Amino acid sequence: MHHSARRLLLPLVAVAVASLLAATATAAYHGGVTVTHETCSTTKWNYGSPYGNNVGELLSTLSGAGSAAPVDNWWFRTATVGSVSGLAMCFADSDATWCRKCLTFLISKYLPYKCDHSRNASVVTSGGCVVRYADAPFFGSASGVDSDELVVVSSTHPTYDAAAMREARRALLSQLAETAGEEALRFATGSQGYMVRHGGSQVMYGMAQCTRDLPASECTACLLDLLAVMYKDVSVTNNTEASVMGFSCYLTYQIDDPIYIDRMAPPLSPAPAPLPVPAVTTPTGSSSAAPPPVAKMTTVLIAALAAVTLLVSAIAV
Ligand SMILES: *[C@@H]1O[C@H](CO)[C@@H](O)[C@H](O)[C@H]1NC(C)=O
Ligand SMILES: *[C@@H]1O[C@H](CO)[C@@H](O)[C@H](O)[C@H]1NC(C)=O
């Protein structure tokens, strides 16, 4: 009995591992959804308890199943089923297809696998979406930021004038943190032109976003925490492009390449200002004439890293 069972099991495990390998390799190759931060409670719900059904129903609602509203880059939902509360949000600089792909992956593949039967779970991906649920309501207060756990995604493009770039970044990002909190969509994007030491100018583009359950002050505080995480990372100091995402807010910047926000007019190039006065816009425009976002090398790199992480944990299981 034991013997034959083992003989049956081994090939099954081999097939499972092989298909996992194939799945993660493909995801990395296509710049697939990349989890940058997650927490799953070690406290589990019991098999057959109503909690599990509630989680299932909640996640289905959060994923937009049966929703009349489009599941796109402006997607945000909170829901409560029984004692389970949760939220889901897509990042504004993602697009509709990517948003749906991200939510579907987290809800139907990642959470049931990595956070199997966890009473609480939070997952955020680079350039995509965030999903959270818990056994008690958490709406209205930002999840604590543990700076050592958050991944800062950055690329090492050189800048002509690091000091001027840092100055423009400081002015723009702190302004965006402030503005995002005041907006109904808890979102702000903007740009900051700056003069380069040996002549010419460059433009810093930025975007800030919070989950829409947060009050203004909580949103701004969350973004300022992310800013601190970003500045703490020395690899970001002189980098012309970086992003950091927590469970409750998201912050990104890049130079000389406007951040594409689907269903929003592209920003106008501001004149370089000797005294930083960032041009900050909020989503009231409606144009989709701008080109689609281009996949970035950093994303691919991070994706490869995540694939390895997933693999390692799969093997550990
Ligand atoms: C789950 O999260 C809620 C809300 O933050 C908290 O009150 C509760 O203690 C957490 N439960 C577990 C099992 O971690
Ligand atoms: C950033 O650039 C400045 C020049 O403006 C240089 O002195 C400094 O060492 C650089 N810092 C890092 C962390 O690369």
Side-chain angles (χ1 to χ4, degrees):
M1 166 70 199
H2 271 132
H3 196 67
S4 61
R6 202 172 301 147
R7 249 191 312 186
L8 248 169
L9 249 169
L10 267 174
L12 266 177
V13 167
V15 166
V17 168
S19 54
L20 227 157
L21 266 169
T24 51
T26 311
Y29 182 74
H30 291 292
V33 177
T34 302
V35 171
T36 51
H37 187 37
E38 58 149 62
T39 58
C40 313
S41 73
T42 49
T43 311
K44 308 280 184 176
W45 77 73
N46 296 325
Y47 282 79
S49 82
Y51 196 88
N53 291 337
N54 292 346
V55 170
E57 196 183 314
L58 173 87
L59 292 180
S60 159
T61 304
L62 295 181
S63 73
S67 153
V71 181
D72 61 14
N73 58 316
W74 295 108
W75 182 253
F76 176 74
R77 277 291 179 285
T78 58
T80 299
V81 179
S83 60
V84 197
S85 292
L87 64 77
M89 184 180 77
C90 284
F91 297 163
D93 61 347
S94 108
D95 64 23
T97 310
W98 188 252
C99 168
R100 286 192 293 269
K101 185 177 166 181
C102 183
L103 290 175
T104 304
F105 173 77
L106 289 189
I107 286 171
S108 60
K109 300 227 159 58
Y110 197 86
L111 283 172
Y113 168 66
K114 281 299 290 282
C115 304
D116 184 31
H117 286 77
S118 287
R119 286 186 73 83
N120 285 5
S122 300
V123 191
V124 62
T125 75
S126 72
C129 65
V130 55
V131 177
R132 296 179 72 188
Y133 70 80
D135 60 10
F138 56 86
F139 305 136
S141 58
S143 99
V145 173
D146 183 340
S147 61
D148 295 331
E149 288 175 0
L150 294 184
V151 174
V152 179
V153 184
S154 71
S155 55
T156 49
H157 299 305
T159 173
Y160 298 116
D161 188 336
M165 190 277 292
R166 290 195 303 264
E167 185 56 35
R169 181 178 60 192
R170 183 177 310 280
L172 178 63
L173 296 185
S174 47
Q175 178 64 54
L176 289 176
E178 205 66 50
T179 311
E182 291 158 4
E183 292 300 324
L185 289 176
R186 298 291 182 264
F187 163 85
T189 184
S191 56
Q192 170 70 58
Y194 58 96
M195 304 298 294
V196 176
R197 202 170 9 157
H198 298 299
S201 66
Q202 292 188 292
V203 181
M204 164 78 56
Y205 294 92
M207 188 204 118
Q209 186 178 13
C210 298
T211 58
R212 266 169 246 159
D213 58 309
L214 298 189
S217 58
E218 193 79 2
C219 171
T220 297
C222 181
L223 288 165
L224 292 177
D225 282 349
L226 286 194
L227 253 185
V229 170
M230 209 182 234
Y231 289 147
K232 210 180 107 182
D233 189 327
V234 285
S235 76
V236 166
T237 308
N238 292 336
N239 269 3
T240 54
E241 185 177 323
S243 306
V244 60
M245 38 260 142
F247 296 139
S248 300
C249 58
Y250 167 56
L251 191 68
T252 187
Y253 74 85
Q254 62 197 39
I255 68 164
D256 293 346
D257 184 18
I259 295 172
Y260 174 70
I261 310 286
D262 206 7
R263 296 210 282 131
M264 216 189 122
L268 301 169
S269 278
L275 274 175
V277 183
V280 172
T281 54
T282 46
T284 44
S286 60
S287 161
S288 48
V294 179
K296 294 193 190 71
M297 196 56 212
T298 44
T299 316
V300 176
L301 235 161
I302 288 285
L305 258 171
V308 168
T309 315
L310 205 69
L311 241 173
V312 167
S313 39
I315 288 163
V317 167

